Amino acid sequence: MGLRIHFVVDPHGWCCMGLIVFVWLYNIILIPKIVLFPHYEEGHIPGILIIIFYGIAIFCLVALVRASITDPGRLPENPKIPHGERELWELCNKCNLMRPKRSHHCSRCGHCVRRMDHHCPWINNCVGEDNHWLFLQLCFYTELLTCYALMFSFCHYYYFLPLKKHNLDLFVFRHELAIMRLAAFMGITMLVGITGLFYTQLIGIITDTTSIEKMSHCCEETSRPRKPWQQTFSEVFGTRWKILWFIPFRQRQPLRVPYHFANHV
């Protein structure tokens, strides 16, 4: 399956995504400049910690960009419905087009999306069947990067040895306290928000329920069999290889794994 680019024209989404990019750049530029590189030069931390920091930051940015531009599962205007699956399709009452069940019409994008979870302004895109895995990676690496930055900010003042060299001619060192306080405020705010979002996403995948289904109470839990969590995650990420669940550089392939479960009364 080739990569399908999906670009949503929404100024509100552009502003939200621009804010995310600003926070990313703020941390990726100033935290190493004030904390990592000075402490590395004085031998307080090993260089591998800097490599890990930039590695997490790159994975976070790739997940953000790909989640934003990847087609979430937009349905074509004239879909080809397999003859044996007609009972699994329904008519959308907004665009009057046939769609698979569990699809949803996004009023902001103006089309139906397969297994749509929600429309996220922070990536300026819907979260659907084809980019849900990237959204999960974005949540994971954002939380990891935020924790990493907050940890170094704390250690800089309360754990590491004081720096011997300070170049007060540089703006970042003259206003270090204000810069680090702003970084801590943004980090704590983002950590609280992303933790709650990531938790609800994980619960939704484990229970095989989208956010829209939770809000509309139409998940049909009594009629739909419960799947093992390994299968629901494998279907979202498109692979059963768990190590690949953390790689944002690959291509996702649709996966439908047969499963068996026993219903004990």
Side-chain angles (χ1 to χ4, degrees):
M1 178 181 293
L3 178 64
R4 295 188 299 173
I5 303 298
H6 182 72
F7 187 75
V8 179
V9 180
D10 183 5
H12 176 257
W14 294 343
C15 292
C16 291
M17 191 171 176
L19 181 60
I20 295 296
V21 174
F22 168 77
V23 174
W24 183 87
L25 288 173
Y26 190 96
N27 284 275
I28 203 67
I29 294 174
L30 296 178
I31 295 298
K33 185 71 175 178
I34 297 176
V35 181
L36 297 181
F37 289 129
H39 284 285
Y40 170 73
E41 291 171 357
E42 296 191 9
H44 299 162
I45 61 173
I48 187 64
L49 294 181
I50 300 178
I51 296 175
I52 293 175
F53 179 82
Y54 279 108
I56 297 173
I58 291 173
F59 273 54
C60 181
L61 181 63
V62 171
L64 171 63
V65 173
R66 292 200 61 192
S68 176
I69 66 174
T70 297
D71 188 339
R74 178 177 180 175
L75 289 165
E77 294 185 0
N78 297 308
K80 296 182 179 180
I81 306 175
H83 182 72
E85 299 182 5
R86 293 185 180 275
E87 68 278 3
L88 303 178
W89 288 63
E90 62 186 8
L91 182 66
C92 175
N93 58 7
K94 295 182 180 179
C95 59
N96 293 321
L97 296 176
M98 295 298 294
R99 66 185 186 187
K101 290 185 177 180
R102 306 193 70 188
S103 300
H104 185 77
H105 185 92
C106 178
S107 57
R108 203 167 194 91
C109 296
H111 53 73
C112 289
V113 176
R114 293 194 310 273
R115 204 180 185 279
M116 177 178 167
D117 188 83
H118 67 286
H119 182 93
C120 180
W122 301 108
I123 64 172
N124 192 32
N125 199 0
C126 291
V127 177
E129 185 177 68
D130 292 341
N131 70 341
H132 199 171
W133 66 286
L134 291 166
F135 184 75
L136 288 172
Q137 288 183 354
L138 174 61
C139 293
F140 174 74
Y141 286 116
T142 300
E143 187 159 1
L144 201 60
L145 182 63
T146 304
C147 290
Y148 209 72
L150 288 173
M151 179 189 69
F152 277 114
S153 299
F154 177 84
C155 291
H156 175 62
Y157 289 107
Y158 301 105
Y159 184 75
F160 292 149
L161 294 174
L163 294 172
K164 299 176 182 178
K165 300 177 183 178
H166 275 287
N167 188 358
L168 296 180
D169 294 333
L170 295 177
F171 175 84
V172 293
F173 289 108
R174 291 201 310 270
H175 303 278
E176 174 187 327
L177 186 59
I179 291 173
M180 294 302 293
R181 283 178 175 175
L182 180 58
F185 171 76
M186 291 190 299
I188 293 173
T189 302
M190 182 163 288
L191 182 62
V192 172
I194 205 70
T195 298
L197 176 61
F198 193 36
Y199 173 78
T200 57
Q201 288 293 303
L202 293 178
I203 295 300
I205 294 177
I206 292 173
T207 58
D208 192 23
T209 308
T210 66
S211 299
I212 292 177
E213 290 171 343
K214 289 179 183 177
M215 291 186 294
S216 59
H217 304 287
C218 64
C219 55
E220 301 177 0
E221 291 182 338
T222 57
S223 61
R224 193 168 68 233
R226 194 70 173 270
K227 302 177 184 178
W229 70 268
Q230 294 94 333
Q231 182 189 340
T232 56
F233 275 90
S234 297
E235 290 181 357
V236 169
F237 286 97
T239 178
R240 285 168 287 185
W241 292 90
K242 294 181 177 59
I243 188 64
L244 296 180
W245 294 357
F246 300 92
I247 309 298
F249 305 99
R250 63 183 180 87
Q251 283 294 107
R252 176 189 177 275
Q253 298 294 334
L255 180 66
R256 291 293 180 268
V257 187
Y259 68 97
H260 306 277
F261 76 99
N263 185 14
H264 298 285
V265 179

